[in-house]
Amino acid sequence: MLTVAEALDRAQMLCDAATKAGADAADALYYCNAATSVSMRLGALEDVERSEGQDISLRVFVGQRSASVSTADMDAGELAKLVERCVAMAREAPEDPYAGLAPQDLLFKGPVPDLDLDDGSEADPQALREAALAVEEAARAIAGVTNSEGGSASHSRTRFALATSHGFAGGYGSSGHSVSASVIAGEGASMQRDYGWHSAHHLADLESTAEIGARAGTRAVARLNPGKAPVGKLPVVIDPRVGGSIVGHLLGAIAGPSIARGTSFLLGKEEQALFDSSILIRDEPHRPRGLRSRAFDGEGLPTAARDIVTGGKITGWLLDTASAKQLGLSPTGHASRGGGASGVSASNLHLAAGSVSPVALMADIKEGIYVTELIGQGVNPVTGDYSRGASGFVIRDGAIAGPIAEFTIAGNLVDMFAALVPANDLEFRHATNVPTLRIDGMTVASA
């Protein structure tokens, strides 16, 4: 694995070579990830995995034509061939009036701040084995757990570097730690499975194996002997571990490429109050140790904290350079790159906590649904129509009652946004964090 400085040198070399070969502009992105994971099942070692992959991607522009190539071969001779091939491809590509690097005057300037994403740790296979064993044992210790799909622990290191031909160079590294367990409760046809997991940049921030394992076992046992869901228009309460997907659908709808193509259900609703006026959804790319923290985006533009939704309204689109040009707007520092053309993504997102507890949030529900798992991808990004399989628990007389399975919840995202009410139990555990959410009036159907 290259150091950040070495990766930047390699990326800058590619950009310089591309301009010498006839490109008008270029950028190069280096990405490397090295990971070690250990899996235990029923107390025995099941798997030890070590992977390391690196990739460097070059994007060149010849007039309004562009091309991208990538390779895992860091040999100088192979990289020179890569440059020649990419420039030749660009000359034959169709013209794109929106192609180009980010505006030079908007580029990130100054040193990259330390967002504390790397704890300096190295993979310790023995420690990973002990953690994987401990998390599985904690899950299997829960009464009612009868089998295990295993416990696992992993360590990773990542390097990212981006250089452009018009003056940007920046990179950073990060470490990662993760622990998970998946277990089974019950016997025969009535078996139920569930899981627990946690990830963090710093080992010190990782939840204990006892907590993760106990949560996996408790969840699996709670799902035993599911009944049928009530049907009709009902209040739906969504557990925080799956509620982040609601925010994800919002992000897809305000992403610049979707707006530029005219394929978003929120097109034309920029000024509409989509949520209750108390709803706040915030993007915080500079949060120390945040799972998606970054000082600059995939095109070298600075990132900044931003309220995605405030006062019930969206504050604008999330734009990379191409979609900004197409819409006659300025890029917003939300470009993401994985090689080739850029996309759009947010960083550390959260939906702000409400004012009532989850218990109070559902206290007036005579009959409703508490969702702990969502299944399938039944969301239409053009119309906002929403229909997904789910499992969870029935709510009766304001309290969570028995488990239910094999039902669907359906509605339209515009209506769901308008009806959304958050509880006060927000925790910052993932890249996207939400409290318990209540949405009244969804259609529940049982399979």
Side-chain angles (χ1 to χ4, degrees), residues 283 294 297 306 308 318-320 332-336 343-347:
D283 184 19
R294 55 183 184 174
D297 75 352
R306 170 177 165 177
I308 302 295
L318 307 185
L319 304 171
D320 62 351
T332 60
H334 288 93
S336 62
V344 166
S345 70
S347 61

Side-chain angles (χ1 to χ4, degrees), residues 243-252 281 349-351 417 432-434:
S245 63
I246 303 296
V247 176
H249 299 316
L250 170 70
L251 289 184
I281 300 176
L349 281 165
H350 74 272
L351 191 157
F417 292 162
T432 299
N433 297 285
V434 302

Side-chain angles (χ1 to χ4, degrees), residues 69-88:
V69 294
S70 63
T71 183
D73 192 338
M74 298 294 145
D75 177 76
E78 290 301 314
L79 291 178
K81 294 177 185 177
L82 182 86
V83 170
E84 294 173 6
R85 186 163 66 248
C86 194
V87 173

Side-chain angles (χ1 to χ4, degrees), residues 228-305:
K228 288 284 187 180
V231 299
K233 295 274 190 181
L234 298 170
V236 172
V237 179
I238 302 176
D239 189 87
R241 76 165 171 169
V242 293
S245 63
I246 303 296
V247 176
H249 299 316
L250 170 70
L251 289 184
I254 64 174
S258 295
I259 300 301
R261 291 192 301 266
T263 56
S264 168
F265 69 93
L266 291 184
L267 194 62
K269 295 182 172 63
E270 300 93 309
E271 301 301 322
Q272 183 175 323
L274 296 170
F275 297 83
D276 182 84
S277 61
S278 65
I279 298 295
L280 172 70
I281 300 176
R282 187 166 174 80
D283 184 19
E284 294 184 324
H286 298 169
R287 184 186 302 153
R289 304 189 183 187
L291 290 178
R292 289 189 190 148
S293 292
R294 55 183 184 174
F296 55 87
D297 75 352
E299 296 179 321
L301 296 182
T303 57

Side-chain angles (χ1 to χ4, degrees), residues 82-130:
L82 182 86
V83 170
E84 294 173 6
R85 186 163 66 248
C86 194
V87 173
M89 289 168 57
R91 289 192 175 112
E92 301 302 320
E95 289 194 353
D96 178 358
Y98 309 114
L101 298 178
Q104 187 171 13
D105 61 325
L106 298 181
L107 289 173
F108 176 87
K109 298 175 181 64
V112 176
D114 181 9
L115 299 175
D116 201 13
L117 306 182
D118 194 334
D119 65 2
S121 61
E122 296 293 338
D124 181 343
Q126 183 59 36
L128 293 175
R129 177 172 179 159
E130 291 170 1

Side-chain angles (χ1 to χ4, degrees), residues 163-182:
T164 74
S165 61
H166 67 340
F168 175 81
Y172 53 87
S174 65
S175 55
H177 305 267
S178 181
V179 172
S180 66
S182 176

